[in-house]
């Protein structure tokens, strides 16, 4: 008797390409493993034998293989329409079983992974008849009816670990192998394949050019369903050194190419799409992130100044707090959306250069050529290009926002937060609310792209960003860094607490800045969060390395003055980097302190999820680096279908014992101004 094998079922309706997929997967896996392959069509007892065939397969094939024993079974003779010869399928390291019913309910307890292959009805019929000719055509409807009856009672697609849309273009096997690495029951058996895939080579090209970023993004990624632009839209010239460092690099990427992937996590379930395959796993997000990031898989090219060397980009939503001490709240948007970028453009605003980065792949040369052309075309002085659809799409009338909390309601919550402070349950509460709008439906709905372009023009920020994940878009002009982890382990947090509006009259503007700088209340808010973050960073820091290098400094942006502090530390060698991020999440500047008890108070006061707002936006690089901004000044646009959309804008402020409800209400109006003005909208009355 052999050790129990890893058994992978490939199921799907007739004609979905299961057999070809199984044969090609077996060929790839045989480079490193002993593989057995079983086809259910060899055991079905006739054209009316789906149910009986599944029973035969489970009892005479799958059960003994699961025990590591030879499977002795009787084949079906399709010419004589009777039982055929006896056959044997031997166990191996990996067993692939394919056919309609391979993952039926009776088989499920004996399987390690289920792949569901799918294709359009027309493609399936054409493929099946092309393969089996006239012998199948008279029985197509009969067999299809059996499939429909079986699936109505046994929803295999809902249980499948991996879904693949089989386009019969040769990409499905590689996509499926990429997806299988995320399944804990299968990944250990695929270590040789994964090791080969981790031997990544980074190709880099430096261009002396300063392309217009929006034009470049539209040219390269305007048609990509999933794309990210981490946009340092604040000109670093003339800024203080700390602010200039935050504003130096912009990153533009999508999930295209051979290595591209897209990830969504909601309520403990992670779904990864790679090419035409999608794999779903259960478990905490930060545990998943630790498995795919944190190892130094790539080093930066020589003379390359940025920490980003390709990797994961996107957002982490506030509701991931369920994994870091908060309660479980369900949001309308995913708790995390990321892409894996195997190619990207990095703009160095300080040096006036563009870096083209791509993982070595068969299509790398073509992409480098296209990117080189796009950079040149977007540089000043180049011939003007035709406007991209996303740039020129007309916008509907200014949306009318409604507030979740009325003015009186928000002030009452401020008072309630102060009662919690007086009772000793917390000493700072970052109370938030949300503004929502539903623009009139149109043929193209609400296009967030031109709105973001106006937003970045009116309110440039060091951590601005535009994210597109299918029907979901995020447009942010955040000034606040949540957490930076350098490849060498240096860590930095830069919380913002304390805000004043800008004024067009220089004297008044200077007085507002001075008022913020001298405000005892704002300094107290800031110092409390600094203390909280010192504690968060210390969990994974080298003892004695946590230091406050800047306390309560004032930085001025287009619409606000803000009070900023800097806390530095060094990550202990060997510590899991994703867990170091989790130890600081969500940002203390968006919860208050102490963090865990205050999050519980906020859940009760706000009585609604925050979604993307209050989470983090940024990257997790293949060299182990990460840079994340706090998701504030952030507009979220969710397409609802048929041209309808929902817009949401979160706003909030820190409540302390010295707060006044009126001042706190004015603060959320000030913070909302930059985004609302870009949309031509106003803060709702009442």
């Amino acid at each position: 008797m052999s050790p129990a094998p890893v058994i992978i079922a490939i199921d799907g309706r007739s004609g979905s390409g299961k057999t070809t997929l199984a044969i090609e997967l077996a060929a790839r896996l045989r480079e490193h493993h002993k593989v057995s392959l079983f086809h259910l069509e060899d055991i079905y007892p006739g054209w009316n034998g789906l149910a009986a065939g599944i029973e035969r397969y489970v009892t005479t094939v799958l059960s003994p293989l699961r025990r590591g024993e030879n499977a002795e079974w009787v084949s079906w003779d399709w010419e004589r329409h009777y039982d055929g010869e006896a056959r044997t399928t031997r166990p191996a390291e990996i067993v692939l079983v394919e056919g309609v019913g391979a993952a039926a309910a009776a088989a499920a307890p004996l399987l390690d992974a289920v792949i569901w292959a799918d294709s359009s009805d027309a493609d399936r019929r054409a493929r099946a008849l092309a393969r089996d000719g006239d012998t199948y055509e008279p029985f197509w409807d009969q067999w299809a009816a059996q499939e429909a009856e079986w699936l109505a009672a046994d929803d295999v697609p809902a249980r499948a670990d991996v879904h693949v849309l089989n386009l019969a273009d040769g990409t499905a096997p590689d996509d499926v192998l990429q997806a299988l690495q995320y399944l804990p029951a299968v990944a250990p058996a695929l270590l040789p394949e994964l090791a080969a895939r981790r031997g990544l080579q980074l190709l880099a090209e430096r261009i002396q050019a300063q392309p217009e970023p929006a034009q470049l993004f539209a040219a390269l990624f305007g048609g990509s369903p999933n794309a990210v632009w981490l946009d340092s839209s604040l000109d670093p010239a003339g800024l203080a050194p700390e602010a200039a460092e935050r504003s130096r690099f912009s990153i533009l990427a999508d999930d295209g190419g051979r290595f591209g992937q897209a990830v969504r996590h909601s309520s403990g379930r992670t779904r990864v799409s790679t090419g035409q395959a999608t794999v779903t796993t259960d478990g905490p997000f930060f545990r998943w992130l630790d498995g795919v990031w944190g190892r130094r898989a790539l080093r930066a090219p020589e003379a390359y100044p940025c920490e980003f060397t390709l990797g994961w980009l996107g957002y982490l939503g506030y509701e991931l707090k369920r994994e870091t001490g908060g309660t479980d709240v369900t949001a309308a948007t995913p708790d995390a959306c990321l892409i894996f970028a195997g190619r990207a453009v990095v703009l160095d605003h300080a040096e006036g250069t563009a870096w083209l980065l791509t993982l070595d792949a068969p299509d790398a040369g073509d992409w480098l050529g296209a990117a080189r052309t796009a950079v040149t075309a977007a540089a000043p002085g180049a011939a003007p290009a035709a406007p991209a659809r996303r740039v020129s799409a007309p916008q509907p009338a200014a949306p009318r926002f409604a507030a979740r909390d009325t003015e009186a309601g928000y002030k009452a919550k401020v008072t309630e937060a102060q009662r919690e402070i007086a009772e000793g349950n917390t000493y700072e509460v970052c109370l938030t609310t949300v503004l929502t709008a539903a623009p009139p439906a149109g043929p193209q709905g609400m296009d967030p792209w031109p709105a973001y372009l106006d937003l970045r023009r009116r309110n440039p920020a060091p951590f601005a960003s535009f994210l597109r994940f299918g029907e979901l878009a995020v447009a942010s002009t955040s000034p606040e860094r949540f957490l930076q982890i350098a490849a060498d382990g240096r860590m930095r947090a830069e919380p913002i607490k304390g805000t004043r509006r800008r004024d067009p009259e220089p004297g008044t503007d200077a007085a507002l800045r001075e008022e913020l700088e001298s405000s005892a209340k704002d300094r107290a808010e800031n110092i409390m969060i600094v203390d909280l973050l010192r504690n968060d960073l210390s969990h994974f820091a080298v003892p004695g390395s946590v230091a406050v290098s800047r306390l309560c400094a004032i930085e001025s942006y287009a619409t606000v003055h803000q009070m900023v502090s800097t806390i530095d530390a060094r990550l202990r060698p060997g510590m899991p980097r994703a867990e170091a991020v989790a130890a600081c999440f969500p940002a203390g500047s968006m919860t208050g302190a102490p963090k865990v008890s205050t999050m519980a108070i906020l859940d009760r006061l706000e009585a609604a999820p925050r979604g993307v707002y209050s989470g983090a936006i940024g990257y997790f690089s293949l060299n182990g680096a990460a840079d994340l901004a706090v998701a504030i000044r952030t507009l979220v646009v969710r397409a609802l279908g048929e041209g309808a959309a929902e817009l949401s804008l979160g706003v909030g402020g820190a409540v302390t014992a010295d707060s006044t409800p009126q001042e706190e209400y004015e603060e959320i109006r000030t913070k909302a101004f930059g985004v609302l003005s870009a949309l031509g909208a106003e803060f709702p009355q009442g």
Side-chain angles (χ1 to χ4, degrees), residues 25 54 57 99 148 150 168 416 434 499 542 586 610 671 677:
L25 275 177
I54 292 173
Y57 148 70
W150 162 59
E416 177 62 16
V434 67
T499 304
V542 172
R610 293 185 181 180
K671 290 177 175 176
S677 62

Side-chain angles (χ1 to χ4, degrees), residues 91-110:
E93 293 175 74
I94 298 176
V95 174
L96 301 178
V97 291
E98 72 81 19
V100 181
L110 307 175

Side-chain angles (χ1 to χ4, degrees), residues 114-253:
V114 172
I115 300 166
W116 179 264
D118 211 350
S119 296
S120 70
D121 289 346
D123 284 346
R124 290 193 301 102
R125 182 183 177 97
R127 290 176 196 166
L129 298 185
R131 183 190 66 198
D132 293 328
D134 296 338
T135 59
Y136 195 171
E137 188 165 15
F139 302 99
W140 175 265
D141 291 337
Q142 178 182 348
W143 188 265
Q146 291 178 83
E147 290 181 355
E149 181 180 2
W150 162 59
L151 288 171
D154 186 0
D155 194 354
V156 174
R159 295 198 309 272
D161 302 294
V162 177
H163 289 250
V164 59
L165 180 61
N166 197 343
L167 301 178
D169 59 359
T171 62
D174 283 333
D175 291 342
V176 168
L177 275 177
Q178 184 96 315
L180 287 173
Q181 68 177 300
Y182 295 111
L183 297 179
V186 176
L190 301 180
L191 285 176
E193 286 79 12
L194 298 183
R197 289 170 183 272
R198 285 172 185 151
L200 302 174
Q201 296 294 320
L202 177 62
L203 307 180
E205 185 174 317
R206 180 181 182 274
I207 301 174
Q208 190 70 41
Q210 300 183 62
E212 202 287 314
Q215 183 180 335
L216 180 62
F217 184 82
L220 284 176
F221 309 121
S224 302
N226 302 309
V228 170
W229 176 12
L230 302 182
D231 172 25
S232 293
S233 58
L234 184 64
D235 186 351
L239 295 177
E242 296 85 359
E245 180 272 329
R246 297 197 298 270
S247 303
R248 180 173 177 179
F249 299 107
S250 291
I251 300 168
L252 302 80

Side-chain angles (χ1 to χ4, degrees), residues 276-559:
Q276 299 301 321
T278 301
V279 57
T280 303
T281 58
D282 293 325
F285 172 80
F286 285 107
R287 183 186 302 166
W288 176 88
L289 182 63
D290 189 55
V292 301
W293 171 74
R295 299 178 303 272
R296 296 187 65 174
L298 283 179
R299 294 188 179 276
E302 186 176 353
Y304 175 67
C306 183
E307 287 277 342
F308 177 73
T309 57
L310 301 177
W312 303 95
L313 308 97
Y315 79 78
L316 313 183
Y318 178 74
E319 271 62 53
L320 284 177
K321 67 183 175 64
R322 71 170 63 87
E323 299 180 20
T324 63
T327 55
D328 188 359
V329 178
T330 301
T333 51
D335 298 330
C337 278
L338 301 172
I339 61 169
F340 180 84
R343 58 197 193 186
V345 178
V346 178
L347 303 180
D348 184 343
H349 302 297
E351 296 292 332
T353 57
W355 286 83
L356 313 183
L357 307 179
T358 180
L359 295 177
D360 194 6
D363 62 349
D366 291 341
W367 183 83
L368 284 170
R372 197 180 303 121
T373 299
V375 167
T376 302
R389 179 187 63 81
R390 290 186 180 275
V391 175
S392 59
Q395 286 296 289
R400 296 185 63 181
F401 281 85
R404 185 177 69 205
D405 298 294
T406 65
E407 179 175 354
Y410 189 78
K411 290 178 179 178
K413 290 182 178 181
V414 171
T415 301
E416 177 62 16
Q418 289 179 304
R419 186 188 66 78
E420 295 280 1
I421 294 170
E423 292 186 358
N425 299 323
T426 178
Y427 47 89
E428 183 174 3
V429 180
C430 296
L431 182 66
T432 77
T433 188
V434 67
L435 312 180
T436 57
Q444 295 181 335
M446 166 68 186
D447 189 348
W449 173 245
Y452 175 67
L453 297 183
D454 200 18
L455 185 61
R456 74 187 293 268
R457 178 180 63 82
R458 292 169 178 261
N459 190 24
F463 294 107
S465 57
F466 179 76
L467 319 177
R468 185 170 59 242
F469 299 102
E471 79 293 347
L472 181 67
V474 179
S476 176
T477 56
S478 174
E480 181 176 358
R481 172 176 275 150
F482 162 49
L483 180 66
Q484 180 186 43
I485 302 178
D488 65 4
R490 287 173 291 119
M491 297 192 290
R492 169 168 287 185
E494 296 185 282
I496 290 176
K497 269 292 162 234
T499 304
R500 295 293 185 277
R501 65 176 177 85
R502 297 297 303 269
D503 193 280
E505 200 285 309
T508 304
D509 191 58
L512 287 166
R513 179 185 171 106
E514 183 178 350
E515 176 191 319
L516 175 59
E517 192 168 20
S518 60
S519 168
K521 172 186 175 294
D522 289 297
R523 289 182 66 85
E525 288 181 16
N526 196 293
I527 290 169
M528 281 189 277
I529 298 305
V530 167
D531 191 51
L532 185 152
L533 281 168
R534 288 174 64 246
N535 178 70
D536 286 350
L537 289 170
S538 70
H539 291 299
F540 288 88
V542 172
S545 69
V546 180
V548 179
S549 55
R550 202 169 54 133
L551 186 64
C552 297
I554 306 301
E555 295 183 355
S556 297
Y557 297 91
T559 59

